[in-house]
């Protein structure tokens, strides 16, 4: 399966289908219904959180014929937008050619009325990649925006945008999508695709996606492509490059039992198996976090049972009482520091080795 097949296939076509951006959707829906539109929007946030998807829905909604339900996805305008035939939606990917030609063309084009619609909408993706020249051209247009034009700028790095551009837009920050909503979406897609998949594998995808629905769909596509049915958690772990549960649990046991030497051997075996140190640390954080929460909040057990596979759930229930909350706090803070340090260090496994000794000597 191609990496983005599922993401394209299940891309929302109206506001209500968008996952995890409720606050933004509410405001935009109101703006569309009350015809209180801005001439320039800035959508910021991590990749795969729905910026371009919402931009396209908004472009369609402002031109939809239906009075109440915008976009209706049935009127002639909506159909033109959905089939990609409309000339009143112009999408510019600033990352591909830095937008020089497009923005120059745009400067001239904005003076013409839309071909068929109320508005012509320009979506500029990864807008922070525009050249200075293109920014200047864009700024000129934003300073005196023609009534029939709406700009939707999208970026993962708003800090790289000139303040002069930002100040002329209405800004919306797209949050990382919570694990739970990603998992629900994956369950839904698996059902529609008639794929049998273990619930633990679905939660694993949610955890791995780190807030990006696009990544989650990509992971699911990759796992489906392996052809297993029903899909087991073990397969998902392998395909995603995650450490085995045994390895993670043994290292946690070594920490609980204060066995430095054992711990170091396990860390070395992870390194020798070419596991990504950051992902390995993330899995340690994940289990320690659940142990910590369960310690403070025994009722959390019910929720955990839904999220985790039997082996992980059994391990956590059996062992979480072995330390107290402040010891878990110390461990979590140390591993969070490891997670940060790995990206900037010459030896990715060194922060883990250092933390292991530090943690065990403090327990
Ligand atoms: Zn419509």
């Amino acid at each position: 399966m191609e990496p983005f097949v599922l993401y394209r296939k299940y891309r929302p076509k109206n506001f209500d289908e968008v996952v995890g951006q409720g606050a933004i959707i509410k405001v935009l829906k109101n703006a569309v219904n009350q015809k209180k539109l801005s001439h320039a929007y800035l959508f910021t946030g991590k990749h795969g959180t729905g910026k371009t998807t919402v931009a396209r829905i908004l472009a369609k909604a402002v031109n939809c014929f239906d009075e109440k339900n915008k976009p209706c996805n049935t009127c002639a305008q909506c159909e033109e937008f959905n089939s990609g035939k409309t000339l009143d939606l112009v999408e510019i990917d600033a990352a591909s050619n830095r937008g020089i030609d497009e923005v120059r063309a745009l400067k001239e084009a904005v003076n013409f009325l839309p071909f068929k619609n109320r508005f012509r909408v320009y979506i500029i993706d990864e807008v922070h990649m525009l050249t200075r020249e293109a920014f200047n051209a864009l700024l000129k247009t934003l300073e005196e925006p023609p009534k029939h034009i709406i700009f939707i700028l999208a970026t993962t790095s708003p800090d790289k945008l000139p303040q002069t551009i930002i100040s002329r837009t209405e800004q919306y920050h797209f949050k990382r999508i919570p694990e739970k909503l990603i998992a629900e979406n994956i369950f839904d897609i698996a059902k529609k695709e008639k794929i049998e998949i273990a619930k633990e594998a679905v939660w694993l995808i949610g955890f791995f996606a780190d807030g990006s629905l696009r990544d989650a769909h990509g992971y699911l596509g990759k796992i489906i492509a392996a052809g297993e049915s029903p899909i087991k958690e073990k397969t998902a772990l392998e395909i995603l490059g995650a450490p085995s549960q045994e390895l993670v649990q043994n290292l946690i046991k070594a920490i609980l039992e204060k066995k430095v030497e054992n711990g170091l051997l396990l860390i070395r075996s992870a390194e020798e198996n070419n596991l990504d140190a950051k992902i390995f640390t993330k899995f340690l954080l994940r289990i320690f976090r659940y142990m910590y929460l369960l310690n403070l909040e025994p009722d959390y057990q019910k929720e955990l049972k839904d999220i985790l596979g039997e082996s992980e759930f059994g391990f956590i229930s059996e062992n979480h009482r072995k330390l107290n909350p402040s010891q878990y706090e110390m461990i979590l803070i140390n591993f969070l520091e490891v997670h940060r340090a790995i990206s900037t260090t010459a030896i990715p496994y060194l922060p883990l080795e250092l933390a292991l000794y530090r943690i065990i000597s403090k327990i």
Side-chain angles (χ1 to χ4, degrees), residues 36-265:
K36 286 183 181 157
L37 297 162
S38 166
H39 281 285
Y41 294 91
L42 174 61
F43 291 174
T44 63
K46 188 187 159 99
H47 73 270
T49 50
K51 300 184 297 297
T52 312
T53 300
V54 173
R56 287 182 187 163
I57 295 172
L58 180 61
K60 185 165 58 177
V62 297
N63 286 308
C64 172
F65 279 155
D66 196 286
E67 272 311 309
K68 283 181 198 147
N69 178 29
K70 291 170 183 288
C72 69
N73 284 311
T74 50
C75 72
Q77 308 303 87
C78 280
E79 274 182 6
E80 277 209 346
F81 273 84
N82 282 340
S83 64
K85 282 185 192 140
T86 179
L87 296 169
D88 290 322
L89 174 64
V90 182
E91 292 195 44
I92 298 171
D93 178 14
S96 62
N97 60 3
R98 313 213 65 195
I100 302 173
D101 297 338
E102 278 106 332
V103 176
R104 201 177 290 144
L106 176 152
K107 249 171 84 185
E108 291 156 19
V110 290
N111 296 316
F112 296 104
L113 289 173
F115 291 93
K116 279 190 180 172
N117 296 286
R118 282 180 57 216
F119 293 101
R120 187 178 313 128
V121 182
Y122 289 88
I123 298 175
I124 308 183
D125 247 329
E126 296 303 341
V127 64
H128 65 276
M129 303 281 281
L130 289 180
T131 59
R132 182 190 296 258
E133 190 195 357
F135 268 133
N136 286 337
L138 178 63
L139 188 60
K140 286 236 168 67
T141 321
L142 289 181
E143 276 167 351
E144 286 172 54
K147 275 203 169 65
H148 58 277
I149 298 286
I150 293 177
F151 284 101
I152 307 174
L153 315 176
T155 179
T156 47
S157 311
D159 50 310
K160 291 182 187 147
L161 280 181
Q163 195 54 42
T164 43
I165 299 265
I166 295 179
S167 64
R168 285 182 171 78
T169 61
E170 201 173 296
Q171 209 183 131
Y172 293 92
H173 181 67
F174 284 61
K175 281 185 271 182
R176 285 161 187 262
I177 302 165
E179 241 174 274
K180 196 173 174 196
L181 293 181
I182 291 185
E184 282 170 7
N185 183 267
I186 295 294
F187 276 122
D188 196 39
I189 291 179
K191 205 172 153 195
K192 286 178 182 151
E193 293 285 313
K194 300 195 168 55
I195 298 287
E196 268 189 78
I197 179 166
K199 75 174 195 325
E200 301 83 12
V202 172
W203 281 100
L204 190 72
I205 292 172
F207 173 70
F208 242 77
D210 200 17
S212 165
L213 198 60
R214 190 195 307 163
D215 285 355
H217 290 176
Y219 295 143
L220 178 65
K222 239 172 147 181
I223 292 168
I224 291 174
E228 188 184 46
S229 179
I231 297 164
K232 296 190 204 75
E233 183 185 20
K234 192 166 175 285
T235 313
L237 282 167
E238 275 169 24
I239 291 174
L240 296 177
S244 73
Q245 287 177 6
E246 202 189 354
L247 179 61
V248 174
Q249 291 173 10
N250 283 341
L251 181 55
I252 292 176
K253 251 189 240 162
I255 292 172
L256 299 177
E257 291 163 8
K258 304 180 74 162
K259 290 182 175 158
V260 177
E261 205 182 329
N262 270 2
L264 285 175
L265 282 172

Side-chain angles (χ1 to χ4, degrees), residues 267 270-271 274-277 280 345 347-354:
I267 291 175
E271 190 179 9
N274 263 334
L275 273 177
D276 184 299
F280 187 38
T345 179
I347 307 170
Y349 269 88
L350 182 59
L352 261 176
E353 290 161 350
L354 295 173

